[in-house]
Amino acid sequence: MNIDLEKPMTHLTENKEDRYRPKYHMTPPVGLLNDPNGFIYFKGKYHVFYQWNPFKTDHSTKYWGHFTSGNLYEWHHETSVLAPEDWFDHSGCYSGSAIENKGNLIAFYTGNVKNEKGERETYQCMATSKDGMSLDKKGPILHLPDNYTAHFRDPKVWKKGSTWYMIVGTQTKEEEGMVAFFSSENLTDWEHHGPIAGSYMNGLDYFGYMWECPDLFSLSGQDILIVSPQGLEAKGDKYNNLFQSGYFIGEMNYEDQTFSHGTFTELDRGFDFYAPQTTIGSNGKRLLVAWMGMPDEDEKNHPTIDNCWIHGMTIPRELSIMEDKLYQKPVEEMTCLRTKEVRHNKVSISTDFHEFDGISGNSIEMVIDILSKDYEVFNMRVSDAIQVSYDSSTNIFSLTRRKYHSEIDEVRECILEDLSSLNIFIDVSTIEIFINGGQEVFSARYFTDNKDSSVLFSCEGELSLKITKWDMKNSIIF
């Protein structure tokens, strides 16, 4: 179904300065964007479908929007590919995944239905495409098994050997989050093998009331389960967002249909990161994109709704495992957006905040290398809304932002034994910070009325840095 974007909202944004729209991060042309869906490399193009309400900046309805790219850095917005218009999905085409089979792209998604009594019904559905640019619905291929509530969604499908497998995010009737496991020989008939992970499994205690957006894949000989649990209580510097996204490293036994794993680790320590999804890139690397937002948070006063859109995606990231930890780094293709390099091979910073020539801008990339480490606290300030700090005496790395529509500062932190490098992407109202080659990542949206695009540095003690900055080209095409 093609959507007439002139009717829903664009007329409301005429003559308005869209001052918060990023230049190289995917955002919706209008309306609300959330979970990435069906991330896949298919017939020479990357496809990122996504949850989209093109008519309002709320979650009242969900289509599948669509971005394509031939190179992972320049993205074209396409027409919508799924609309909530059938008996099995009329209350929303919810999240899912995509695979390639026999030259066709096959998408799996959750059809959400609210019946006449206001009760939720859920159907796992299939849609097919020959070119990836439109999807032909085939209807439900999996109904709700026993022992789960209707919070049963977000199918992720993959093939191992000659068998297809599916995991689905679930809530049990005891209101415990889990991941359900299925297998199929033909993609339409699915056998349920029960849960493979969740509360009170594999040594976990209670671990949230719902697990969303599961993703299971192998990397460097180990199996990784990514999931977004809801209902975790904050513990020190962990689990401080409303909902979390993270991973377990373990071993999937396909014969026994069991997954043994270690502890849960958050993927991103910032404010805005949820519902990540991965795929295999054209070079065989495991890639990830995520929603830079958070479900159920206050969106009524969000600064971008004046321009009739809300939320965006992270830049694509490449995953690897080092020392039993998942590392994330920007895909190499992002370097193609660099222009106007400015380099300071060795600068010294002191207690007073200092700006270096050419190190500023609202759509930039920076690489900062720590050359000497005889200091206690390193600080970097972006405009008046973001501060990055590392305290070498406590090993605490922190990201502080000014909360929009208030004078309150809020903080996210992690323990970091050493700080050697930062790779930072600043994009108008978006920041992604990759620490020590992707050992930790902090992602956040930020909003300020101050048009100052300066980047300032200070420290307590003596510190020298190598700073390289590039302006970044615009790369989103509507």
Side-chain angles (χ1 to χ4, degrees):
M1 177 181 179
N2 293 339
I3 293 176
D4 183 355
L5 293 178
E6 296 302 322
K7 290 183 179 180
M9 304 182 72
T10 49
H11 68 285
L12 300 177
T13 65
E14 291 178 0
N15 301 318
K16 284 188 177 181
E17 180 188 6
D18 201 351
R19 59 185 176 181
Y20 297 129
R21 187 178 291 272
K23 307 297 185 183
Y24 58 88
H25 284 75
M26 286 178 274
T27 56
V30 291
L32 177 140
L33 170 153
N34 60 297
D35 304 4
N37 301 152
F39 185 25
I40 190 172
Y41 183 72
F42 177 71
K43 293 187 177 179
K45 281 186 178 181
Y46 289 94
H47 297 259
V48 174
F49 305 98
Y50 68 92
Q51 295 284 274
W52 187 26
N53 184 352
F55 302 107
K56 295 182 180 180
T57 55
D58 63 23
H59 296 271
S60 57
T61 190
K62 292 294 171 68
Y63 292 68
W64 268 30
H66 189 195
F67 283 97
T68 63
S69 176
N71 51 32
L72 285 176
Y73 62 87
E74 184 179 73
W75 293 92
H76 298 253
H77 195 267
E78 312 289 357
T79 57
S80 172
V81 293
L82 286 177
E85 56 190 3
D86 292 284
W87 69 265
F88 48 82
D89 64 10
H90 64 72
S91 300
C93 297
Y94 278 20
S95 294
S97 59
I99 53 99
E100 181 175 0
N101 185 42
K102 299 178 181 179
N104 294 315
L105 185 152
I106 303 180
F108 300 86
Y109 70 99
T110 298
N112 184 50
V113 173
K114 297 288 182 66
N115 63 27
E116 294 178 353
K117 298 179 181 180
E119 300 167 331
R120 181 191 297 267
E121 299 175 3
T122 181
Y123 304 94
Q124 309 316 305
C125 305
M126 175 192 286
T128 64
S129 177
K130 294 185 180 298
D131 60 4
M133 303 306 292
S134 62
L135 288 171
D136 180 21
K137 292 182 183 179
K138 302 300 181 183
I141 47 88
L142 179 64
H143 293 261
L144 180 65
D146 293 336
N147 301 322
Y148 302 110
T149 74
H151 290 286
F152 181 90
R153 52 184 175 265
D154 313 333
K156 181 64 188 283
V157 176
W158 72 99
K159 192 175 188 180
K160 184 176 177 62
S162 60
T163 303
W164 294 98
Y165 296 96
M166 176 194 294
I167 51 176
V168 181
T170 70
Q171 179 188 70
T172 68
K173 290 183 178 179
E174 292 74 33
E175 297 189 353
E176 297 163 359
M178 289 189 173
V179 171
F181 186 65
F182 301 82
S183 65
S184 174
E185 300 301 322
N186 58 14
L187 292 174
T188 56
D189 301 300
W190 292 88
E191 181 181 359
H192 179 215
H193 301 289
I196 58 167
S199 293
Y200 305 114
M201 297 183 67
N202 296 293
L204 284 180
D205 293 324
Y206 174 78
F207 210 72
Y209 58 80
M210 173 66 193
W211 283 20
E212 292 194 309
C213 303
D215 193 345
L216 181 63
F217 56 90
S218 295
L219 188 63
S220 300
Q222 300 189 73
D223 294 316
I224 312 294
L225 174 64
I226 289 177
V227 70
S228 296
Q230 298 181 333
L232 302 186
E233 293 186 3
K235 293 183 179 180
D237 64 0
K238 297 179 180 179
Y239 317 151
N240 283 287
N241 290 330
L242 181 61
F243 301 129
Q244 323 308 320
S245 293
Y247 64 93
F248 300 94
I249 298 179
E251 181 179 359
M252 182 68 208
N253 188 319
Y254 285 87
E255 293 183 1
D256 296 339
Q257 296 91 43
T258 59
F259 178 65
S260 58
H261 61 74
T263 58
F264 180 79
T265 303
E266 289 178 270
L267 273 163
D268 193 292
R269 306 305 299 272
F271 298 92
D272 297 289
F273 182 95
Y274 196 72
Q277 188 168 109
T278 75
T279 193
I280 293 291
S282 60
N283 58 1
K285 303 290 187 180
R286 178 63 60 170
L287 309 179
L288 176 148
V289 293
W291 170 30
M292 288 193 76
M294 193 64 56
D296 298 341
E297 285 195 327
D298 178 23
E299 296 170 332
K300 295 180 180 179
N301 298 317
H302 199 280
T304 66
I305 63 175
D306 285 344
N307 288 91
C308 302
W309 67 274
I310 187 171
H311 299 314
M313 296 286 185
T314 65
I315 61 174
R317 304 174 180 183
E318 179 186 324
L319 303 182
S320 61
I321 293 181
M322 296 179 61
E323 300 175 350
D324 292 323
K325 183 177 177 62
L326 203 58
Y327 274 58
Q328 305 169 74
K329 65 179 183 180
V331 295
E332 186 177 357
E333 289 85 350
M334 290 298 296
T335 61
C336 296
L337 295 180
R338 293 172 175 175
T339 184
K340 297 180 181 177
E341 178 182 302
V342 175
R343 185 186 299 269
H344 294 270
N345 287 321
K346 187 174 183 180
V347 295
S348 297
I349 60 175
S350 58
T351 304
D352 295 330
F353 273 100
H354 185 77
E355 181 177 7
F356 298 100
D357 290 343
I359 308 298
S360 63
N362 68 358
S363 187
I364 63 175
E365 179 190 355
M366 289 190 299
V367 174
I368 301 170
D369 296 306
I370 310 297
L371 300 181
S372 65
K373 301 181 181 180
D374 186 17
Y375 70 97
E376 290 187 7
V377 181
F378 162 74
N379 294 303
M380 185 188 77
R381 183 183 296 166
V382 178
S383 185
D384 64 348
I386 289 286
Q387 181 158 316
V388 175
S389 298
Y390 179 65
D391 188 326
S392 64
S393 63
T394 61
N395 299 124
I396 293 177
F397 185 98
S398 62
L399 172 66
T400 304
R401 75 172 177 186
R402 180 66 49 85
K403 190 173 178 63
Y404 58 85
H405 296 306
S406 79
E407 295 299 314
I408 300 173
D409 285 342
E410 47 187 353
V411 182
R412 294 292 181 267
E413 298 177 338
C414 75
I415 298 297
L416 195 68
E417 291 185 2
D418 179 59
L419 178 63
S420 60
S421 67
L422 298 169
N423 190 185
I424 301 174
F425 291 80
I426 296 170
D427 192 10
V428 184
S429 60
T430 294
I431 186 167
E432 296 183 67
I433 306 169
F434 298 83
I435 305 168
N436 297 345
Q439 179 184 4
E440 298 284 358
V441 187
F442 283 69
S443 299
R445 301 295 309 281
Y446 65 94
F447 305 94
T448 175
D449 293 330
N450 187 346
K451 294 186 178 181
D452 177 18
S453 61
S454 63
V455 181
L456 306 177
F457 301 87
S458 75
C459 79
E460 296 177 15
E462 296 181 1
L463 176 62
S464 60
L465 308 173
K466 176 183 177 182
I467 307 174
T468 309
K469 186 226 77 173
W470 299 268
D471 290 344
M472 298 290 273
K473 302 173 186 175
N474 296 0
S475 64
I476 309 300
I477 301 170
F478 294 112

